Every structure is written in C-alpha cells, then in structure tokens.
Amino acid sequence: MQVTIEEFYNAVGGSYASVKELFLTDERIKKYVLKFKTEGSYQKLMDAVGSGDATASFEAAHAFKGVAGNIGLTKLYNAASELTEQLRGSQEPADPQLVDKIRAYYDEVQEKILEL
C-alpha cells in the first residue's frame, strides 16, 4: 500500500509541518527521506556501539541525531538525542535500552519508507 509523505510522517512520529516548511514540496521531502534509507549514519552508530568505544559512539550518535533531525524524524531524533546525552563526556558504553529504542524506531522508519 502506498502512503503519502504526510501519512509517512504521521506513522513514524515525524514532523511533516517542519520539513514541509524547510523543503517546500512533498517531492523534495520524499527525495531526502528515500536517501535516508542508504545514507550510512545508522550503520556507523551501530558499529561504534558494537565496538564499545564511548567516544566513537558519542560522535556517531550525534551525527545520526543530526541526520534524523534534518529530515524531521522527530521520534528517531529524540531517541538519538537521549543516547547522545547519555554518552556525552562519558567513558561508559551506550545504554542498551536506548540503542534498542533507536533500532526499533529506525526499523519502523525503514519499513514505512518502502510504502512511499
């Protein structure tokens, strides 16, 4: 079933209004959402978290947060922001519950992208 870009944002807890204001057309929004599917920051985050390196995990979480925020994926942005703050200035590994939350939200977004 194909969904509109606005339906996509509603389904994934995103902010359609804010990206519409930034990108102006649904076509441009869709272009960037589709790029998110293969953009790479999520994999860098998962690799960094898997390595146990707190500094690399922080940097990757911060970058991923920015990507999610730039395209209005608010729920995913908020989860990445939580992880970023947990890791900020810490040598502790990433909180597995926060990582699981990001993984679940990311999977949800990826599934919905297939419906665009």
Side-chain angles (χ1 to χ4, degrees):
M1 176 178 141
Q2 195 164 13
V3 298
T4 67
I5 197 72
E6 185 172 5
E7 290 168 334
F8 165 81
Y9 273 91
N10 289 335
V12 300
S15 177
Y16 173 74
S18 67
V19 294
K20 182 75 172 190
E21 195 173 295
L22 179 64
F23 294 116
L24 304 178
T25 68
D26 285 1
E27 293 77 25
R28 287 186 70 196
I29 297 168
K30 185 176 178 179
K31 173 185 169 184
Y32 288 100
V33 168
L34 292 174
K35 284 184 178 196
F36 179 74
K37 184 148 182 64
T38 58
E39 165 281 327
S41 64
Y42 173 78
Q43 190 57 53
K44 287 179 185 173
L45 173 58
M46 292 300 116
D47 290 347
V49 166
S51 77
D53 182 332
T55 301
S57 296
F58 167 76
E59 291 169 359
H62 191 270
F64 182 70
K65 175 183 83 164
V67 170
N70 285 341
I71 59 171
L73 298 174
T74 309
K75 188 164 80 168
L76 192 54
Y77 168 85
N78 289 339
S81 184
E82 282 183 71
L83 182 61
T84 300
E85 292 311 311
Q86 182 258 311
L87 292 166
R88 187 181 301 278
S90 174
Q91 291 305 310
E92 296 296 316
D95 180 330
Q97 290 180 333
L98 295 177
V99 174
D100 287 346
K101 186 189 295 189
I102 290 170
R103 193 174 285 123
Y105 292 166
Y106 180 82
D107 290 346
E108 179 184 354
V109 168
Q110 292 298 341
E111 283 183 35
K112 278 305 203 185
I113 286 174
L114 297 174
E115 295 179 18
L116 287 173

